Amino acid sequence: DGAAYLTVSLIAVFLLDYRLEIASELLINEKISVKEISYKCGFEDPNYFCKVFRKKYNKSPLEFKNERT
């Protein structure tokens, strides 16, 4: 039904946003690669991680990291 689909979609969006927030903290505070951070945050594909990260922050994870460290 539509309400269940909407609920699942909202949960998925929330989880993606949460994982990206954790990734942003790791990028700032940890001396590990973007690839390793993507895996630590539950992304199976580092390329997908970079794509969704750029969509949220308007810059690549590496650009984000370099600006803040």
Side-chain angles (χ1 to χ4, degrees):
D1 101 345
Y5 177 77
L6 181 60
T7 300
V8 170
S9 295
L10 290 173
I11 291 169
V13 168
F14 173 80
L15 288 175
L16 177 61
D17 191 60
Y18 177 75
R19 289 160 60 196
L20 290 171
E21 289 291 329
I22 298 297
S24 70
E25 292 295 319
L26 290 173
L27 286 163
I28 294 167
N29 298 314
E30 298 292 328
K31 303 281 190 234
I32 57 179
S33 70
V34 170
K35 184 176 181 179
E36 191 171 346
I37 288 170
S38 72
Y39 291 137
K40 281 183 173 273
C41 293
F43 293 91
E44 294 179 12
D45 181 357
N47 292 322
Y48 175 71
F49 166 70
C50 290
K51 178 181 173 180
V52 295
F53 191 94
R54 181 181 292 275
K55 188 172 184 179
K56 178 178 171 101
Y57 293 102
N58 295 314
K59 57 192 71 181
S60 74
L62 194 54
E63 291 169 333
F64 182 92
K65 182 179 183 72
N66 290 338
E67 286 179 359
R68 288 165 173 77
T69 55

